[in-house]
Amino acid sequence: MSTRQLTYSPFDAEVIADPYPVYRQLREGAPVFWSSRAGTWVLSRHVDVSAALGDPATYSSASGIFPTPPGVDMTELFLPMLIMSDPPRHTQLRQLVSKAFTPRRIAGLGAQIQTLVDDLLDETPETDAWDFVSGFAGPLPAIVIADMLGVPREDRDRFRAWSTTLIQSNPARGEFGAGLDAAAALYNYFAAFLAERRAHPQDDLMTALVQAEVEGEHLSEDELLGFCLLLLIAGHETTTNLLANSAVILAHHPESRRELADDPNLVPAAVEELLRYDSPVQGLSRTLTRQVDLHGKTMATGDTVLLLFGSANRDDQAFPDADRFDIHRAPERQVALGRGIHFCLGASLARLEARIALQALLTRHRDFDVDLDAAIRLHSGPIRGFASLPIQ
Ligand code: HEM
């Protein structure tokens, strides 16, 4: 296939509706593709995406990771963030935040998440259509993160509104204003909150972050604020859309749905397949620190490269018959949560939330359907999912 016929940008309406046909074309005909409209190289094969994730010295995160048009510097828009840093700073920051974000803290959340899930499902209307996003998939991760950080319950709705605005502002359409206002509102909120936790330590993540220390070093104020914002963005919309995409997939695969309802032990492996099959994070960017020659193309130092996780996860070379949804597949090499040094810090939390949520949903609603005609897709380059998803 000639690359001349092929057009692709993560912000195209057709791509947002269904990216998988163009991903296949990219993998087969243009594995190193220059997207002039998005101003970036695009890697779509599993082998190439995985190799790039494993080589942060060449594929740097420090100049930003969200696909943006040429000339926009994401580092000017955000405070220092773990996810937008390279070693050695990344190694130090990750060590520091890992002191607070411990497996023990995550494992201890199981009972609390179960109660939240049950409470949200108790409010499901018996007959009427129900918006799965605003009624369930949205509030759940937002409440879990807010509770972990120690944010008072009365501030939850403001949180979700800010975070949604931030994620949905589309840099390719020049929509920075609303997103930046939401980021500013969050920074101000967190700054006051951090000061409060310094003065009055509690048993919550925010206090643990303030106190975290490695070899006498603490997180700076900017790093603390950046990390709080990162948790909100990275942990909230992603999990919401894993659940929303899962509802659509399970509605369209009734046999798998009933099998999962009958045997909850299958749910953990099914969550991995759901992550693979319709990944909530479709792709993130890197900036080249040196020239890279790949598949006959030359990518120059300073160019950005979009790594398509969503395409890598549908690559037949890595997952035989990749377009088939199969809860028995055990897709260990799926890259929906990244790979290498930036591998998702919240992976175990995301998996825990998804397992509890899907198990509870299927126990109560063995059969359900989604109304895709009335659903509203998210218009975000990196995130794939729904702003609204009516379910019956
Ligand atoms: C289904 C849900 C989730 C998905 C699909 C997801 C996906 C990802 C991906 C792909 C990365 C790698 C970024 C890169 O390579 O540039 C990442 C990193 C990260 N995620 Fe998640 N994530 C999810 C849930 C969460 C949750 C619940 C949290 C925390 C509450 C979280 C916190 C983070 C953080 C802090 C990083 C940055 C790690 C680093 O740079 O070292 N994520 N996530």
Side-chain angles (χ1 to χ4, degrees):
M1 152 147 353
S2 146
T3 59
R4 211 174 294 156
Q5 305 160 256
L6 198 55
T7 61
Y8 165 80
S9 156
F11 302 107
D12 286 346
E14 313 84 77
V15 170
I16 287 170
D18 179 8
Y20 298 109
V22 74
Y23 286 171
R24 178 170 290 282
Q25 292 180 318
L26 288 168
R27 284 192 307 270
E28 289 175 359
V32 178
F33 178 75
W34 173 254
S35 167
S36 49
R37 270 176 303 136
T40 184
W41 294 100
V42 181
L43 298 186
S44 46
R45 289 185 182 166
H46 187 277
V47 63
D48 297 329
V49 170
S50 301
L53 289 173
D55 182 6
T58 303
Y59 293 84
S60 163
S61 295
S63 303
I65 56 156
F66 299 112
T68 46
V72 176
D73 180 356
M74 289 299 281
T75 52
E76 287 173 8
L77 304 174
F78 284 106
L79 287 172
M81 270 193 192
L82 177 75
I83 206 165
M84 292 190 204
S85 65
D86 290 336
R89 191 59 193 143
H90 174 267
T91 319
Q92 292 157 344
L93 282 175
R94 179 114 184 181
Q95 248 188 315
L96 269 165
V97 300
S98 300
K99 287 248 160 192
F101 209 90
T102 56
R104 189 186 59 83
R105 195 177 286 279
I106 305 303
L109 293 173
Q112 198 180 328
I113 295 173
Q114 184 72 59
T115 309
L116 266 171
V117 162
D118 290 338
D119 288 351
L120 288 168
L121 288 176
D122 281 346
E123 289 163 25
T124 318
E126 280 297 320
T127 47
D128 300 341
W130 174 52
D131 181 10
F132 186 71
V133 174
S134 63
F136 186 68
L140 176 65
I143 296 171
V144 170
I145 294 170
D147 277 358
M148 262 188 104
L149 284 167
V151 169
R153 298 213 157 196
E154 60 270 20
D155 293 341
R156 278 174 180 174
D157 290 345
R158 287 203 286 165
F159 255 66
R160 182 157 159 68
W162 285 329
S163 158
T164 305
T165 310
L166 197 62
I167 286 284
Q168 292 221 30
S169 60
N170 186 340
R173 295 201 300 253
E175 294 170 3
F176 277 118
L180 288 182
D181 289 349
L186 280 162
Y187 286 145
N188 287 337
Y189 180 82
F190 281 133
F193 200 62
L194 281 169
E196 207 276 326
R197 283 303 188 269
R198 274 205 187 90
H200 306 287
Q202 309 269 329
D203 181 20
D204 57 30
L205 181 62
M206 188 74 91
T207 306
L209 285 169
V210 169
Q211 293 174 343
E213 184 186 330
V214 174
E215 292 168 7
E217 196 202 356
H218 287 87
L219 293 162
S220 70
E221 179 81 5
D222 276 358
E223 285 163 350
L224 281 165
L225 291 174
F227 188 65
C228 290
L229 190 72
L230 174 59
L231 280 185
L232 202 63
I233 303 173
H236 173 182
E237 297 292 337
T238 49
T239 314
T240 297
N241 291 304
L242 169 61
L243 295 175
N245 295 345
S246 298
V248 174
I249 300 166
L250 293 175
H252 293 160
H253 293 83
E255 280 176 22
S256 305
R257 188 179 67 232
R258 288 179 198 135
E259 210 182 334
L260 290 172
D262 289 340
D263 185 357
N265 292 324
L266 297 175
V267 170
V271 169
E272 299 309 298
E273 176 67 352
L274 290 161
L275 277 163
R276 180 195 75 84
Y277 189 75
D278 203 12
S279 308
V281 182
Q282 287 284 301
L284 292 173
S285 296
R286 298 294 191 259
T287 304
L288 291 177
T289 60
R290 63 169 176 85
Q291 178 183 313
V292 172
D293 297 301
L294 188 63
H295 304 307
K297 301 277 181 191
T298 296
M299 302 185 279
T301 306
D303 284 354
T304 59
V305 186
L306 174 59
L307 309 178
L308 287 179
F309 307 141
S311 171
N313 281 337
R314 290 287 193 107
D315 188 338
D316 294 321
Q317 300 297 321
F319 311 99
D321 198 5
D323 285 339
R324 192 167 54 87
F325 176 69
D326 176 4
I327 55 169
H328 300 288
R329 186 190 288 272
E332 276 160 23
R333 297 162 69 200
Q334 61 88 2
V335 288
L337 299 159
R339 169 175 283 206
I341 63 165
H342 290 284
F343 178 73
C344 180
L345 184 72
S348 45
L349 176 59
R351 287 174 167 140
L352 184 68
E353 285 182 56
R355 287 170 191 173
I356 295 175
L358 292 178
Q359 246 171 43
L361 182 73
L362 290 167
T363 304
R364 294 200 194 201
H365 306 281
R366 194 181 156 81
D367 285 310
F368 59 82
D369 205 357
V370 289
D371 182 354
L372 284 187
D373 291 337
I376 303 169
R377 272 227 167 262
L378 271 185
H379 286 272
S380 147
I383 307 278
R384 176 162 171 79
F386 294 90
S388 165
L389 178 67
I391 190 166
Q392 287 106 17

Short mmCIF file of all heavy atoms in Angstrom, two decimals, residues 341-388:
data_model
loop_
_atom_site.label_atom_id
_atom_site.label_comp_id
_atom_site.label_asym_id
_atom_site.label_seq_id
_atom_site.Cartn_x
_atom_site.Cartn_y
_atom_site.Cartn_z
N ILE A 341 10.04 1.90 32.02
CA ILE A 341 10.19 2.72 33.24
C ILE A 341 8.93 3.51 33.57
O ILE A 341 8.70 3.84 34.73
CB ILE A 341 11.39 3.69 33.15
CG1 ILE A 341 11.21 4.70 32.01
CG2 ILE A 341 12.71 2.93 33.00
CD1 ILE A 341 12.19 5.87 32.11
N HIS A 342 8.09 3.84 32.57
CA HIS A 342 6.87 4.62 32.85
C HIS A 342 5.65 3.72 33.01
O HIS A 342 4.52 4.23 33.02
CB HIS A 342 6.61 5.64 31.73
CG HIS A 342 7.60 6.77 31.71
ND1 HIS A 342 7.57 7.81 32.60
CD2 HIS A 342 8.67 6.99 30.91
CE1 HIS A 342 8.56 8.64 32.33
NE2 HIS A 342 9.25 8.16 31.31
N PHE A 343 5.86 2.39 33.12
CA PHE A 343 4.71 1.48 33.27
C PHE A 343 3.77 2.03 34.34
O PHE A 343 4.20 2.49 35.40
CB PHE A 343 5.19 0.07 33.67
CG PHE A 343 4.04 -0.88 33.89
CD1 PHE A 343 3.32 -1.35 32.80
CD2 PHE A 343 3.66 -1.27 35.16
CE1 PHE A 343 2.23 -2.20 32.98
CE2 PHE A 343 2.57 -2.11 35.35
CZ PHE A 343 1.85 -2.58 34.26
N CYS A 344 2.49 1.96 34.04
CA CYS A 344 1.46 2.60 34.87
C CYS A 344 1.66 2.34 36.36
O CYS A 344 1.62 1.19 36.83
CB CYS A 344 0.09 2.08 34.43
SG CYS A 344 -1.24 2.79 35.40
N LEU A 345 1.83 3.42 37.10
CA LEU A 345 2.01 3.31 38.55
C LEU A 345 0.72 2.82 39.21
O LEU A 345 0.75 2.19 40.26
CB LEU A 345 2.38 4.70 39.09
CG LEU A 345 2.71 4.81 40.57
CD1 LEU A 345 4.06 4.16 40.88
CD2 LEU A 345 2.73 6.26 41.01
N GLY A 346 -0.41 3.11 38.58
CA GLY A 346 -1.70 2.74 39.18
C GLY A 346 -2.26 1.45 38.61
O GLY A 346 -3.45 1.17 38.80
N ALA A 347 -1.41 0.64 37.95
CA ALA A 347 -1.92 -0.56 37.27
C ALA A 347 -2.71 -1.46 38.23
O ALA A 347 -3.81 -1.93 37.89
CB ALA A 347 -0.77 -1.32 36.63
N SER A 348 -2.16 -1.71 39.42
CA SER A 348 -2.87 -2.64 40.31
C SER A 348 -4.18 -2.02 40.81
O SER A 348 -5.17 -2.74 41.01
CB SER A 348 -1.99 -3.11 41.46
OG SER A 348 -1.33 -2.03 42.02
N LEU A 349 -4.20 -0.70 40.97
CA LEU A 349 -5.45 -0.05 41.38
C LEU A 349 -6.49 -0.13 40.26
O LEU A 349 -7.66 -0.47 40.49
CB LEU A 349 -5.18 1.41 41.76
CG LEU A 349 -6.41 2.25 42.13
CD1 LEU A 349 -7.15 1.64 43.31
CD2 LEU A 349 -6.01 3.69 42.46
N ALA A 350 -6.03 0.15 39.03
CA ALA A 350 -6.96 0.10 37.89
C ALA A 350 -7.55 -1.31 37.74
O ALA A 350 -8.75 -1.48 37.53
CB ALA A 350 -6.23 0.50 36.61
N ARG A 351 -6.68 -2.31 37.87
CA ARG A 351 -7.14 -3.70 37.73
C ARG A 351 -8.11 -4.06 38.84
O ARG A 351 -9.15 -4.70 38.61
CB ARG A 351 -5.95 -4.66 37.75
CG ARG A 351 -5.16 -4.58 36.45
CD ARG A 351 -3.89 -5.40 36.52
NE ARG A 351 -3.31 -5.57 35.19
CZ ARG A 351 -2.03 -5.52 34.91
NH1 ARG A 351 -1.15 -5.28 35.87
NH2 ARG A 351 -1.61 -5.69 33.68
N LEU A 352 -7.80 -3.63 40.06
CA LEU A 352 -8.67 -3.94 41.21
C LEU A 352 -10.05 -3.31 41.00
O LEU A 352 -11.09 -3.96 41.18
CB LEU A 352 -8.01 -3.39 42.49
CG LEU A 352 -8.70 -3.68 43.81
CD1 LEU A 352 -8.64 -5.17 44.14
CD2 LEU A 352 -8.02 -2.90 44.96
N GLU A 353 -10.06 -2.04 40.61
CA GLU A 353 -11.34 -1.36 40.39
C GLU A 353 -12.15 -2.05 39.29
O GLU A 353 -13.34 -2.27 39.41
CB GLU A 353 -11.11 0.10 39.98
CG GLU A 353 -10.70 0.99 41.13
CD GLU A 353 -10.53 2.44 40.68
OE1 GLU A 353 -11.47 3.02 40.12
OE2 GLU A 353 -9.44 2.99 40.90
N ALA A 354 -11.46 -2.39 38.19
CA ALA A 354 -12.17 -2.99 37.05
C ALA A 354 -12.73 -4.36 37.43
O ALA A 354 -13.87 -4.70 37.08
CB ALA A 354 -11.23 -3.10 35.85
N ARG A 355 -11.95 -5.15 38.16
CA ARG A 355 -12.43 -6.50 38.53
C ARG A 355 -13.66 -6.39 39.42
O ARG A 355 -14.67 -7.06 39.18
CB ARG A 355 -11.33 -7.25 39.30
CG ARG A 355 -10.21 -7.69 38.41
CD ARG A 355 -9.03 -8.20 39.22
NE ARG A 355 -7.88 -8.38 38.33
CZ ARG A 355 -6.66 -8.69 38.74
NH1 ARG A 355 -6.41 -8.86 40.01
NH2 ARG A 355 -5.69 -8.84 37.87
N ILE A 356 -13.57 -5.55 40.45
CA ILE A 356 -14.69 -5.44 41.39
C ILE A 356 -15.91 -4.90 40.66
O ILE A 356 -17.03 -5.40 40.80
CB ILE A 356 -14.31 -4.55 42.60
CG1 ILE A 356 -13.20 -5.22 43.41
CG2 ILE A 356 -15.53 -4.26 43.47
CD1 ILE A 356 -12.65 -4.39 44.56
N ALA A 357 -15.70 -3.86 39.84
CA ALA A 357 -16.83 -3.21 39.15
C ALA A 357 -17.51 -4.18 38.18
O ALA A 357 -18.74 -4.30 38.17
CB ALA A 357 -16.34 -1.97 38.40
N LEU A 358 -16.72 -4.90 37.38
CA LEU A 358 -17.32 -5.78 36.37
C LEU A 358 -18.00 -6.97 37.02
O LEU A 358 -19.09 -7.39 36.60
CB LEU A 358 -16.28 -6.22 35.35
CG LEU A 358 -15.75 -5.08 34.45
CD1 LEU A 358 -14.70 -5.59 33.50
CD2 LEU A 358 -16.89 -4.42 33.67
N GLN A 359 -17.36 -7.51 38.05
CA GLN A 359 -17.98 -8.64 38.75
C GLN A 359 -19.34 -8.26 39.31
O GLN A 359 -20.34 -8.97 39.13
CB GLN A 359 -17.09 -9.09 39.90
CG GLN A 359 -16.52 -10.48 39.70
CD GLN A 359 -15.46 -10.79 40.74
OE1 GLN A 359 -15.65 -10.50 41.91
NE2 GLN A 359 -14.37 -11.38 40.31
N ALA A 360 -19.39 -7.10 39.97
CA ALA A 360 -20.64 -6.66 40.59
C ALA A 360 -21.69 -6.36 39.52
O ALA A 360 -22.87 -6.72 39.66
CB ALA A 360 -20.39 -5.42 41.45
N LEU A 361 -21.25 -5.72 38.43
CA LEU A 361 -22.18 -5.38 37.36
C LEU A 361 -22.81 -6.65 36.78
O LEU A 361 -24.03 -6.73 36.59
CB LEU A 361 -21.43 -4.61 36.27
CG LEU A 361 -22.25 -4.12 35.09
CD1 LEU A 361 -23.13 -2.96 35.51
CD2 LEU A 361 -21.36 -3.71 33.92
N LEU A 362 -21.97 -7.65 36.51
CA LEU A 362 -22.46 -8.87 35.87
C LEU A 362 -23.30 -9.72 36.82
O LEU A 362 -24.20 -10.43 36.39
CB LEU A 362 -21.28 -9.68 35.32
CG LEU A 362 -20.58 -9.03 34.13
CD1 LEU A 362 -19.26 -9.70 33.83
CD2 LEU A 362 -21.49 -9.06 32.90
N THR A 363 -23.00 -9.64 38.10
CA THR A 363 -23.82 -10.38 39.07
C THR A 363 -25.24 -9.81 39.07
O THR A 363 -26.22 -10.55 39.11
CB THR A 363 -23.21 -10.24 40.49
OG1 THR A 363 -21.88 -10.68 40.42
CG2 THR A 363 -23.98 -11.05 41.51
N ARG A 364 -25.33 -8.48 38.99
CA ARG A 364 -26.66 -7.87 39.04
C ARG A 364 -27.35 -7.83 37.68
O ARG A 364 -28.56 -7.89 37.60
CB ARG A 364 -26.54 -6.43 39.54
CG ARG A 364 -26.08 -6.36 40.96
CD ARG A 364 -26.44 -5.01 41.49
NE ARG A 364 -25.74 -4.76 42.73
CZ ARG A 364 -26.13 -3.88 43.61
NH1 ARG A 364 -27.21 -3.17 43.37
NH2 ARG A 364 -25.45 -3.69 44.70
N HIS A 365 -26.56 -7.60 36.64
CA HIS A 365 -27.15 -7.43 35.31
C HIS A 365 -26.49 -8.39 34.34
O HIS A 365 -25.54 -8.03 33.65
CB HIS A 365 -26.96 -5.99 34.81
CG HIS A 365 -27.47 -4.96 35.76
ND1 HIS A 365 -28.80 -4.65 35.88
CD2 HIS A 365 -26.83 -4.19 36.67
CE1 HIS A 365 -28.95 -3.72 36.80
NE2 HIS A 365 -27.77 -3.43 37.31
N ARG A 366 -27.00 -9.60 34.32
CA ARG A 366 -26.42 -10.63 33.45
C ARG A 366 -26.61 -10.27 31.97
O ARG A 366 -25.78 -10.57 31.14
CB ARG A 366 -27.17 -11.92 33.79
CG ARG A 366 -26.57 -13.16 33.29
CD ARG A 366 -27.51 -14.29 33.73
NE ARG A 366 -27.33 -15.42 32.85
CZ ARG A 366 -26.34 -16.29 32.97
NH1 ARG A 366 -25.47 -16.16 33.94
NH2 ARG A 366 -26.22 -17.28 32.12
N ASP A 367 -27.74 -9.61 31.68
CA ASP A 367 -27.99 -9.18 30.31
C ASP A 367 -28.20 -7.67 30.28
O ASP A 367 -28.97 -7.14 31.08
CB ASP A 367 -29.23 -9.88 29.75
CG ASP A 367 -28.90 -11.33 29.42
OD1 ASP A 367 -27.88 -11.55 28.73
OD2 ASP A 367 -29.63 -12.23 29.88
N PHE A 368 -27.51 -7.02 29.39
CA PHE A 368 -27.72 -5.58 29.21
C PHE A 368 -27.36 -5.21 27.78
O PHE A 368 -26.68 -5.98 27.08
CB PHE A 368 -26.93 -4.74 30.22
CG PHE A 368 -25.45 -4.95 30.19
CD1 PHE A 368 -24.64 -4.30 29.27
CD2 PHE A 368 -24.82 -5.80 31.11
CE1 PHE A 368 -23.27 -4.47 29.25
CE2 PHE A 368 -23.44 -5.99 31.09
CZ PHE A 368 -22.67 -5.32 30.17
N ASP A 369 -27.81 -4.03 27.36
CA ASP A 369 -27.46 -3.56 26.03
C ASP A 369 -27.06 -2.09 26.12
O ASP A 369 -27.45 -1.40 27.07
CB ASP A 369 -28.66 -3.74 25.08
CG ASP A 369 -28.19 -3.85 23.64
OD1 ASP A 369 -26.96 -3.73 23.39
OD2 ASP A 369 -29.04 -4.05 22.76
N VAL A 370 -26.29 -1.64 25.14
CA VAL A 370 -25.88 -0.23 25.11
C VAL A 370 -26.52 0.43 23.90
O VAL A 370 -26.74 -0.22 22.88
CB VAL A 370 -24.34 -0.09 25.03
CG1 VAL A 370 -23.69 -0.48 26.34
CG2 VAL A 370 -23.77 -0.89 23.88
N ASP A 371 -26.81 1.73 24.02
CA ASP A 371 -27.42 2.45 22.91
C ASP A 371 -26.34 3.33 22.26
O ASP A 371 -26.15 4.49 22.64
CB ASP A 371 -28.59 3.30 23.46
CG ASP A 371 -29.31 4.03 22.34
OD1 ASP A 371 -28.82 3.98 21.18
OD2 ASP A 371 -30.34 4.66 22.63
N LEU A 372 -25.63 2.76 21.29
CA LEU A 372 -24.50 3.50 20.69
C LEU A 372 -24.97 4.71 19.88
O LEU A 372 -24.21 5.67 19.72
CB LEU A 372 -23.66 2.57 19.83
CG LEU A 372 -22.74 1.61 20.61
CD1 LEU A 372 -21.83 0.86 19.66
CD2 LEU A 372 -21.91 2.34 21.65
N ASP A 373 -26.22 4.66 19.36
CA ASP A 373 -26.71 5.82 18.59
C ASP A 373 -26.85 7.04 19.50
O ASP A 373 -26.67 8.17 19.06
CB ASP A 373 -28.07 5.50 17.96
CG ASP A 373 -27.92 4.46 16.86
OD1 ASP A 373 -26.79 4.35 16.32
OD2 ASP A 373 -28.90 3.74 16.57
N ALA A 374 -27.20 6.79 20.74
CA ALA A 374 -27.40 7.92 21.67
C ALA A 374 -26.13 8.21 22.48
O ALA A 374 -26.08 9.20 23.21
CB ALA A 374 -28.57 7.62 22.61
N ALA A 375 -25.11 7.36 22.35
CA ALA A 375 -23.88 7.57 23.14
C ALA A 375 -23.10 8.75 22.59
O ALA A 375 -23.21 9.09 21.41
CB ALA A 375 -23.03 6.30 23.08
N ILE A 376 -22.29 9.37 23.44
CA ILE A 376 -21.43 10.48 23.00
C ILE A 376 -19.98 10.07 23.22
O ILE A 376 -19.57 9.81 24.35
CB ILE A 376 -21.74 11.78 23.76
CG1 ILE A 376 -23.21 12.16 23.60
CG2 ILE A 376 -20.83 12.92 23.29
CD1 ILE A 376 -23.67 13.27 24.53
N ARG A 377 -19.22 10.03 22.12
CA ARG A 377 -17.80 9.66 22.23
C ARG A 377 -16.98 10.81 22.77
O ARG A 377 -17.29 11.98 22.55
CB ARG A 377 -17.26 9.29 20.84
CG ARG A 377 -17.48 7.86 20.51
CD ARG A 377 -16.21 7.21 19.94
NE ARG A 377 -16.38 5.77 19.93
CZ ARG A 377 -15.92 4.95 20.86
NH1 ARG A 377 -15.23 5.43 21.88
NH2 ARG A 377 -16.13 3.67 20.80
N LEU A 378 -15.92 10.47 23.49
CA LEU A 378 -14.97 11.48 23.94
C LEU A 378 -14.20 12.00 22.75
O LEU A 378 -13.81 11.21 21.88
CB LEU A 378 -13.94 10.83 24.86
CG LEU A 378 -14.17 10.74 26.33
CD1 LEU A 378 -12.92 10.16 26.98
CD2 LEU A 378 -14.47 12.09 26.93
N HIS A 379 -13.98 13.31 22.69
CA HIS A 379 -13.16 13.86 21.61
C HIS A 379 -11.81 14.24 22.17
O HIS A 379 -11.53 15.39 22.45
CB HIS A 379 -13.87 15.05 20.94
CG HIS A 379 -15.00 14.57 20.10
ND1 HIS A 379 -14.84 14.21 18.79
CD2 HIS A 379 -16.28 14.31 20.40
CE1 HIS A 379 -15.98 13.76 18.31
NE2 HIS A 379 -16.87 13.81 19.28
N SER A 380 -11.00 13.21 22.38
CA SER A 380 -9.68 13.43 22.94
C SER A 380 -8.71 12.64 22.07
O SER A 380 -9.03 11.54 21.64
CB SER A 380 -9.67 12.93 24.38
OG SER A 380 -8.40 12.42 24.72
N GLY A 381 -7.55 13.19 21.77
CA GLY A 381 -6.57 12.44 20.98
C GLY A 381 -6.17 11.15 21.67
O GLY A 381 -6.37 10.06 21.13
N PRO A 382 -5.61 11.22 22.88
CA PRO A 382 -5.07 10.00 23.47
C PRO A 382 -6.10 9.06 24.10
O PRO A 382 -5.89 7.86 24.14
CB PRO A 382 -4.11 10.50 24.56
CG PRO A 382 -4.49 11.91 24.82
CD PRO A 382 -5.20 12.42 23.62
N ILE A 383 -7.20 9.59 24.61
CA ILE A 383 -8.13 8.75 25.38
C ILE A 383 -9.28 8.29 24.50
O ILE A 383 -9.91 9.09 23.81
CB ILE A 383 -8.70 9.51 26.60
CG1 ILE A 383 -7.59 10.10 27.46
CG2 ILE A 383 -9.61 8.60 27.41
CD1 ILE A 383 -6.94 9.17 28.42
N ARG A 384 -9.58 6.99 24.54
CA ARG A 384 -10.71 6.45 23.79
C ARG A 384 -11.80 6.03 24.76
O ARG A 384 -11.55 5.25 25.68
CB ARG A 384 -10.25 5.24 22.97
CG ARG A 384 -11.38 4.57 22.23
CD ARG A 384 -10.86 3.67 21.12
NE ARG A 384 -11.93 2.88 20.55
CZ ARG A 384 -12.83 3.33 19.67
NH1 ARG A 384 -12.75 4.58 19.24
NH2 ARG A 384 -13.77 2.56 19.20
N GLY A 385 -12.99 6.58 24.56
CA GLY A 385 -14.08 6.22 25.46
C GLY A 385 -15.29 7.08 25.21
O GLY A 385 -15.50 7.56 24.09
N PHE A 386 -16.09 7.27 26.25
CA PHE A 386 -17.39 7.92 26.09
C PHE A 386 -17.59 9.02 27.13
O PHE A 386 -17.22 8.86 28.29
CB PHE A 386 -18.51 6.88 26.27
CG PHE A 386 -18.52 5.85 25.19
CD1 PHE A 386 -17.78 4.68 25.32
CD2 PHE A 386 -19.25 6.05 24.03
CE1 PHE A 386 -17.77 3.73 24.31
CE2 PHE A 386 -19.25 5.11 23.01
CZ PHE A 386 -18.51 3.94 23.15
N ALA A 387 -18.23 10.11 26.67
CA ALA A 387 -18.69 11.13 27.61
C ALA A 387 -20.05 10.71 28.18
O ALA A 387 -20.41 11.05 29.30
CB ALA A 387 -18.81 12.48 26.91
N SER A 388 -20.79 9.95 27.38
CA SER A 388 -22.10 9.46 27.83
C SER A 388 -22.39 8.13 27.14
O SER A 388 -22.10 7.97 25.95
CB SER A 388 -23.16 10.52 27.47
OG SER A 388 -24.44 9.96 27.58
#
